[in-house]
Amino acid sequence: ILLKDYLMPWLENMHSLQISDTTLTRYRGLATNYVIPALGETQLGKVSKREITSLMTSMVMEQKGARTINQTLALISAMYKSAVNNEIVETNPAKGIKKIEERSKQINPLTEFEVIKLLDAAHGTFMETRLQIAFMGLRQGEALGLRWGDIDFTNKLINVSHQSQKVKGVRKLVKLKSATSHRKVMLSDS
């Protein structure tokens, strides 16, 4: 069986049950744009560490981000783990391949004066509310995922536990991905 003939059915019919819709969409793109063009015509059991490393190297040369490269490796590794568990292949050639180091980007936040100036400039425009939400520490999807029960007006707190996500063109309310994303945000008096 060719890699391309295993990858997409596995992704759509098996792995899709274990990952979020946004991750599935991301993995489809990685499979279509990188994995299948590089490895798709190779027999599933014949792909080597060298070929996977070569794919990663070519992505570095194409100036793809470390996160994109690491997610591509994660996709390949998960696919092979399943193939090993289902006794289709004997080994996972992606096992032991090191991820690309993801460097944190330097963040230079606005000063309090700059925030006030920006909010003043946006006053009365459609951007005013969006900026206020952002400066409260909410992402757009989190703000759209709020329900009345999430807001504690007495203690001036918002419980952030869900987000609105577009899945196949339809907005859905979904739980936040990780426990550390769940948090309480203070409401301001204004």
Side-chain angles (χ1 to χ4, degrees):
I1 183 169
L2 297 178
L3 182 139
K4 69 178 182 180
D5 295 330
Y6 183 80
L7 174 58
M8 293 312 285
W10 165 81
L11 182 58
E12 297 296 338
N13 301 320
M14 293 171 65
H15 200 53
S16 63
L17 304 173
Q18 302 169 356
I19 57 177
S20 71
D21 290 317
T22 54
T23 302
L24 177 59
T25 300
R26 175 78 168 143
Y27 279 1
R28 281 181 186 133
L30 295 172
T32 304
N33 295 320
Y34 305 112
V35 180
I36 292 173
L39 306 170
E41 295 297 328
T42 307
Q43 290 291 319
L44 193 62
K46 301 279 186 189
V47 173
S48 67
K49 280 188 188 304
R50 186 173 359 111
E51 289 169 306
I52 296 169
T53 303
S54 176
L55 166 60
M56 293 173 67
T57 302
S58 71
M59 291 175 75
V60 168
M61 300 305 283
E62 293 171 13
Q63 298 185 332
K64 302 301 175 194
R67 186 165 182 260
T68 297
I69 298 167
N70 290 337
Q71 287 177 341
T72 302
L73 177 60
L75 171 63
I76 294 168
S77 185
M79 177 200 64
Y80 270 103
K81 184 177 180 182
S82 173
V84 168
N85 289 342
N86 289 306
E87 300 178 350
I88 296 167
V89 297
E90 291 183 22
T91 61
N92 179 348
K95 191 174 184 178
I97 296 177
K98 291 187 177 168
K99 292 180 177 180
I100 303 292
E101 183 182 341
E102 294 185 39
R103 294 190 185 110
S104 299
K105 292 181 181 174
Q106 177 69 32
I107 298 173
N108 297 312
L110 298 176
T111 65
E112 186 177 351
F113 173 76
E114 291 169 327
V115 169
I116 292 168
K117 192 173 177 181
L118 183 57
L119 286 171
D120 285 344
H123 183 70
T125 71
F126 76 98
M127 285 301 293
E128 181 178 15
T129 303
R130 286 183 121 177
L131 288 170
Q132 287 175 339
I133 288 168
F135 291 136
M136 284 174 46
L138 293 177
R139 296 176 182 92
Q140 181 173 311
E142 293 170 340
L144 293 171
L146 290 175
R147 298 160 298 175
W148 285 111
D150 295 326
I151 304 169
D152 179 350
F153 290 102
T154 306
N155 296 308
K156 296 183 180 179
L157 289 172
I158 298 174
N159 181 39
V160 183
S161 61
H162 290 80
Q163 66 182 337
S164 174
Q165 254 182 20
K166 207 171 196 178
V167 179
K168 297 178 186 166
V170 178
R171 285 243 163 243
K172 278 185 167 180
L173 189 66
V174 298
K175 289 184 179 181
L176 295 178
K177 198 170 187 176
S178 68
T180 56
S181 296
H182 291 247
R183 63 197 185 284
K184 295 202 182 293
V185 176
M186 291 182 61
L187 281 169
S188 69
D189 290 328
S190 57

